[in-house]
Amino acid sequence: MDKKVDWSELPIELWPKIGKSLENNIDVLRFRSVCESFRSSIPPSHPNSPSFPLQIPHPMNPSIETYLNQATIYRIEPSHGNSLSCLEPLAVSSSSKGWLIKVEELKNHPLTLLSPISDRKILHPRSTSPMLWNLLDYRVIEICKSYTIQNTVRSFVAANKVVFFPNSPWIGVEDSVACSIFQEGKLGFMKHGDEKWTLVDDKNFYYDDVIVYKGQFYVTDRWGTISWVDISCLKLIQFSPPLCGFGNKKHLVESCGVLYVVDRYYDSEPLRRNYVGRPNRDAAVECFKVYKLDEEWGTWVDVKNLGDRAFILGNSCTFSVSANELTGYQGNCIYFTDIFDARMYNLEDHTITTIEFDPCLDKSLWSHPWPRT
């Protein structure tokens, strides 16, 4: 019979090694909250770790004061024996599934909940205040991070997409790099302390998406050609042949260690026949097609079924989740935003459904008393 070992019986020299293997702030916070000995074994972070909002040069006008903001996508599960407390209006108590939440993290501000699809603040229905809660009361699994570039005057988003890597509690900000696709489709890089962004390819202004995949920056252009970026010389290394998809925009999504391209097609007709939503509104998106690269043969594979995976094409990040682990999500579907806010595309029957409320919310529980904070 296996004997349970008390954490306090672990050799002291292992404590800092375990603590510094944790790659996100919430896990470090949980580790340091175990006991005084654990807390004293590691610092909260590297003395010069990235702190957000992080002041950076504006991509197009260096005279404008600009900041890089960070948000984190979490899967939230209530701990056994804990009260749901202020997350109760979000929960379905009879379900063992979790909830997908986007948390905006601003320095000297409380955590704010956002929709992981539309980036809208999640407000209590009887209040204009954002929903807030203590992450330490729940089992929290980090899915990914997202970033936006904003200025202080009009909160204007100055880029289509921005990623920041590496971002760890144990890495100094001077070792991190930001990669951004500007609104014209330009691809630029910036290291901490740079006074301006550096264009990687000043002859190609047709980049659609950029993500971090296997510790590298990967980008796709509008023809679906994927390249990775050699940071040492800021050059693109072609990774795939052109997809030659005829969609209007390409998205990169990593799912279970595999890189996918999602091709978005816009609707050119005034009305969709398979639109399942508000009948008096047209759909801006016609359909999606999904592809993955067969690296052995160097060919693209048309993906017809994602299984239980759901792809989320957010405004500032793309990622995939297991629908079986979450409340409100369906497998083999793509969640996205267009001019009419959050929607779901079903790869099986090719229908588009308007999401009238975020999948993490349950309106039947909104009548519960809202706890004071």
Side-chain angles (χ1 to χ4, degrees):
M1 186 174 182
D2 294 337
K3 179 183 177 181
K4 291 185 178 180
V5 179
D6 194 320
W7 277 89
S8 62
E9 296 179 9
L10 287 174
I12 295 177
E13 60 269 19
L14 291 181
W15 295 355
K17 293 183 179 180
I18 295 173
K20 289 192 176 181
S21 69
L22 304 173
E23 290 298 321
N24 61 73
N25 290 316
I26 189 65
D27 286 343
V28 173
L29 182 59
R30 284 180 175 278
F31 179 90
R32 299 184 79 245
S33 300
V34 171
C35 63
E36 184 177 351
S37 298
F38 275 38
R39 185 163 52 255
S40 61
S41 67
I42 61 170
S45 64
H46 185 283
N48 198 29
S49 63
S51 179
F52 298 89
L54 181 67
Q55 187 167 1
I56 61 172
H58 192 283
M60 292 166 283
N61 188 346
S63 64
I64 299 178
E65 188 174 5
T66 313
Y67 293 89
L68 182 68
N69 290 337
Q70 174 184 273
T72 306
I73 310 293
Y74 293 108
R75 189 174 83 239
I76 306 294
E77 299 173 357
S79 299
H80 294 294
N82 283 1
S83 169
L84 293 177
S85 63
C86 60
L87 192 62
E88 186 173 4
L90 295 180
V92 181
S93 58
S94 61
S95 174
S96 60
K97 294 185 177 182
W99 309 274
L100 201 61
I101 296 292
K102 188 171 186 176
V103 181
E104 188 177 48
E105 308 161 51
L106 298 179
K107 191 175 182 180
N108 300 324
H109 286 78
L111 301 180
T112 303
L113 302 191
L114 305 173
S115 161
I117 302 173
S118 66
D119 283 348
R120 289 188 176 183
K121 288 184 179 181
I122 299 177
L123 305 177
H124 184 264
R126 295 187 298 275
S127 170
T128 58
S129 300
M131 291 183 176
L132 305 173
W133 91 101
N134 186 354
L135 284 175
L136 293 177
D137 291 339
Y138 305 90
R139 184 168 180 261
V140 180
I141 299 94
E142 180 177 316
I143 304 297
C144 65
K145 294 184 183 296
S146 70
Y147 304 91
T148 54
I149 299 176
Q150 298 179 330
N151 64 43
T152 57
V153 180
R154 288 180 280 179
S155 295
F156 175 74
V157 180
N160 290 338
K161 183 71 176 290
V162 59
V163 289
F164 186 79
F165 181 82
N167 185 3
S168 164
W170 315 116
I171 293 178
V173 67
E174 65 276 4
D175 296 320
S176 300
V177 179
C179 177
S180 177
I181 295 177
F182 308 150
Q183 288 181 338
E184 299 90 345
K186 301 176 183 178
L187 180 66
F189 276 78
M190 182 218 67
K191 294 184 178 181
H192 182 68
D194 289 352
E195 295 183 357
K196 64 178 182 179
W197 292 76
T198 301
L199 291 181
V200 176
D201 182 2
D202 57 4
K203 297 180 181 180
N204 188 350
F205 296 160
Y206 304 107
Y207 292 102
D208 274 353
D209 202 3
V210 56
I211 65 171
V212 175
Y213 174 66
K214 295 183 178 180
Q216 298 277 357
F217 292 106
Y218 279 73
V219 300
T220 182
D221 59 24
R222 65 174 54 178
W223 296 280
T225 303
I226 300 176
S227 304
W228 62 273
V229 185
D230 187 339
I231 297 297
S232 62
C233 58
L234 291 184
K235 290 186 177 180
L236 294 176
I237 311 299
Q238 186 170 334
F239 177 71
S240 79
L243 174 63
C244 296
F246 297 102
N248 301 91
K249 183 176 181 180
K250 310 294 189 291
H251 301 270
L252 290 175
V253 181
E254 184 275 327
S255 180
C256 300
V258 178
L259 191 60
Y260 293 79
V261 169
V262 180
D263 206 1
R264 179 187 296 229
Y265 290 73
Y266 289 107
D267 186 5
S268 59
E269 298 180 5
L271 185 65
R272 294 181 48 88
R273 288 180 294 177
N274 64 345
Y275 170 49
V276 183
R278 297 188 182 104
N280 60 339
R281 292 193 177 187
D282 297 341
V285 172
E286 171 65 27
C287 67
F288 291 94
K289 292 185 178 180
V290 181
Y291 305 89
K292 69 177 180 180
L293 180 67
D294 185 328
E295 296 186 37
E296 182 178 356
W297 295 97
T299 57
W300 288 101
V301 178
D302 189 355
V303 179
K304 300 296 185 182
N305 196 320
L306 301 176
D308 94 304
R309 305 302 294 186
F311 284 5
I312 287 83
L313 309 182
N315 293 325
S316 54
C317 64
T318 61
F319 58 98
S320 80
V321 293
S322 169
N324 291 335
E325 298 175 345
L326 294 167
T327 297
Y329 286 83
Q330 296 181 32
N332 200 31
C333 290
I334 296 172
Y335 293 81
F336 65 101
T337 58
D338 62 9
I339 57 175
F340 301 130
D341 204 19
R343 296 192 179 212
M344 180 188 77
Y345 178 80
N346 190 313
L347 277 174
E348 181 178 0
D349 59 18
H350 310 293
T351 56
I352 292 181
T353 305
T354 297
I355 302 174
E356 298 291 351
F357 59 95
D358 287 296
C360 60
L361 299 177
D362 187 337
K363 288 185 177 180
S364 66
L365 296 174
W366 281 358
S367 59
H368 289 195
W370 186 250
R372 296 181 181 273
T373 57

